[in-house]
Amino acid sequence: MTLEMVMPLHGLVYRLVVAVDVEGYSKLDALDQSLVQSRLSDVLDVAARNAGLDRDLWYRQVRGDGELAVLPTDADAAWVVAHFTEQLSQALADLRAAGTPLRMRVAMHCGPLTAGAFGLVGDAPIVTCRLLDAKVVRDALATADSDLVLVISQRLHDDVVRTRFHDLDPTRFRPTRFRMKNQVYSGYLCAGAPRRG
């Protein structure tokens, strides 16, 4: 889906943004990078489908080892945090069982954005990418038993996770703060699925 289909060219919209990134991608050779990209695409498609989400309706900005996606206006943020993340965790567990493990960080934030000449512009994509790229999040994945670490913004935690809709479990999230590019960011980390088990 094109950016213009997601939002007007000069209009500010409020959307859920999801970013993913694969651990250790840059250390791989070109063939393995290609295989990882294919596995990542499959995992995202399977997780979305199993969560009842249509990725064809998402605006997706591909990054070599990941993706930045804007979800449609009617996306239920609590459902995405709860079920999409749970299905991602399951798909990664299935890959590990098949002998082709993949580990990833996932970041989510709701906020304002618009279309720019080179892609997304605004607070939402910036905050989402800062959360995704934070050292504390990379470290959390490096030490996690799970193949997935989710980080969400303070706003998304307060507005969505604390509601406990769709069996979201606030106790599975731990607060984190970090400084990046002279700005302090607050978020919440969760290793594995964020729902009550």
Side-chain angles (χ1 to χ4, degrees), residues 31-90:
L31 177 60
D32 284 338
Q33 287 179 351
S34 175
L35 294 171
V36 163
Q37 284 187 5
S38 293
R39 284 200 301 270
L40 175 61
S41 179
D42 291 345
V43 161
L44 293 171
D45 287 343
V46 166
R49 187 171 52 253
N50 289 345
L53 302 170
D54 185 352
R55 279 178 29 91
D56 289 338
L57 300 178
W58 300 8
Y59 167 74
R60 295 180 284 178
Q61 197 169 292
V62 177
R63 303 156 37 132
D65 57 348
E67 173 180 287
L68 180 67
V70 179
L71 276 65
T73 308
D74 61 352
D76 178 345
W79 182 271
V80 175
V81 174
H83 293 282
F84 179 60
T85 304
E86 181 176 62
Q87 292 302 322
L88 271 179
S89 186
Q90 182 58 55

Side-chain angles (χ1 to χ4, degrees), residues 54-145:
D54 185 352
R55 279 178 29 91
D56 289 338
L57 300 178
W58 300 8
Y59 167 74
R60 295 180 284 178
Q61 197 169 292
V62 177
R63 303 156 37 132
D65 57 348
E67 173 180 287
L68 180 67
V70 179
L71 276 65
T73 308
D74 61 352
D76 178 345
W79 182 271
V80 175
V81 174
H83 293 282
F84 179 60
T85 304
E86 181 176 62
Q87 292 302 322
L88 271 179
S89 186
Q90 182 58 55
L92 293 172
D94 292 345
L95 276 182
R96 180 165 292 283
T100 54
L102 191 67
R103 292 170 58 80
M104 72 169 62
R105 302 183 318 280
V106 179
M108 297 184 189
H109 174 61
C110 273
L113 57 100
T114 192
F118 293 100
L120 301 173
V121 177
D123 175 69
I126 290 172
V127 170
T128 306
C129 289
R130 295 288 188 264
L131 291 167
L132 186 72
D133 294 336
K135 183 179 184 307
V136 65
V137 181
R138 291 176 185 274
D139 291 347
L141 180 59
T143 60
D145 292 334

